[in-house]
Amino acid sequence: MYRLSNIYKSYDDEQTFVLNNLSLDINKGDFIAITGKSGSGKSTLINILSTIDRPTRGYYTYDNINLDKMSDNQLAIFRNSHIGVIFQEYNLIPEYTVNENILLPTVFSKNKNHNLEEITKLLGIRFLLNKKAKFLSGGEQQRVAIARAMINKPDLLLADEPTGNLDAENAEQLFKMLKKLNENGVTVITVTHNLSFAEKFEIIYTLKNGQLHKWK
Ligand SMILES: Nc1ncnc2c1ncn2[C@@H]1O[C@H](COP(=O)(O)OP(=O)(O)O)[C@@H](O)[C@H]1O
Ligand SMILES: [Mg+2]
């Protein structure tokens, strides 16, 4: 479904490479965790997979569509219809209600065919819809961030350190929700430095020296 071939990413004019000849094959329905130390390039990889950033060099295709040839505009349209992202800091707008936060991506994509009812039911957050984001607990914010990532019905859900601000119990809840989405057909990739969280995924890679090493 998604194939990265010989991807390089440099932020300093090719003096050093954060991603260094990295390749990855993602199949539909995969449930993947990628671990790696702080600074190993996990967020860099998520930003490239989500098409928010571009590789310095390399090829990548999604359902055999060549992404490296697309304009920024084409990439934005592609991203809106295929990819949901959960950011490390959630990036919710504090003064907006939960409802408004979740629907934000549909404003940009003008998507009327969203799944607000279904996704808020699945995540158990319908009772929060009219609450302002600034009044939510960490675990609630995380669930709202998932709902927002899923609102345009993406087939790929990417998460950057989703347990970063959660205690063990909320991390377990989060895992169950990602698992549920995966069972409903969503491909899930998370990057995390949390090993006990990563170990629950079906496929595990470590990102080291700019390359991925599969160990499960
Ligand atoms: N926008 C950027 N500009 C310059 N350097 C960056 C940028 N983003 C990340 N880096 C550098 O790339 C390396 C990998 O960062 P990152 O992908 O954030 O790692 P991780 O998420 O695994 O902690 C780090 O050395 C970081 O300083
Ligand atoms: Mg990071």
Side-chain angles (χ1 to χ4, degrees), residues 84-99:
V85 188
I86 305 169
F87 297 98
Q88 185 164 1
E89 303 297 338
Y90 313 136
N91 296 351
L92 301 178
I93 299 177
E95 292 298 331
Y96 280 22
T97 63
V98 166
N99 190 54

Side-chain angles (χ1 to χ4, degrees), residues 48-103:
I48 287 173
L49 284 169
S50 66
T51 73
I52 290 167
D53 198 5
R54 290 173 186 269
T56 306
R57 274 186 269 142
Y59 304 97
Y60 52 145
T61 58
Y62 193 100
D63 290 342
N64 295 319
I65 307 163
N66 228 340
L67 298 185
D68 49 277
K69 303 271 190 295
M70 282 192 185
S71 67
D72 288 350
N73 209 14
Q74 286 172 316
L75 274 184
I77 293 166
F78 164 81
R79 189 184 316 131
N80 260 317
S81 57
H82 291 284
I83 295 176
V85 188
I86 305 169
F87 297 98
Q88 185 164 1
E89 303 297 338
Y90 313 136
N91 296 351
L92 301 178
I93 299 177
E95 292 298 331
Y96 280 22
T97 63
V98 166
N99 190 54
E100 289 163 341
N101 268 286
I102 295 173
L103 287 174

Side-chain angles (χ1 to χ4, degrees), residues 11 18 37-44:
Y11 291 107
V18 177
K37 291 188 181 141
S38 177
S40 61
K42 300 184 298 299
S43 294
T44 298

Side-chain angles (χ1 to χ4, degrees), residues 83-127:
I83 295 176
V85 188
I86 305 169
F87 297 98
Q88 185 164 1
E89 303 297 338
Y90 313 136
N91 296 351
L92 301 178
I93 299 177
E95 292 298 331
Y96 280 22
T97 63
V98 166
N99 190 54
E100 289 163 341
N101 268 286
I102 295 173
L103 287 174
L104 213 51
T106 69
V107 177
F108 300 126
S109 65
K110 301 186 179 72
N111 183 4
K112 299 255 182 298
N113 182 30
H114 56 70
N115 62 351
L116 179 69
E117 186 159 349
E118 191 187 328
I119 196 70
T120 51
K121 234 180 237 167
L122 185 84
L123 296 172
I125 54 174
R126 288 198 68 75
F127 73 105

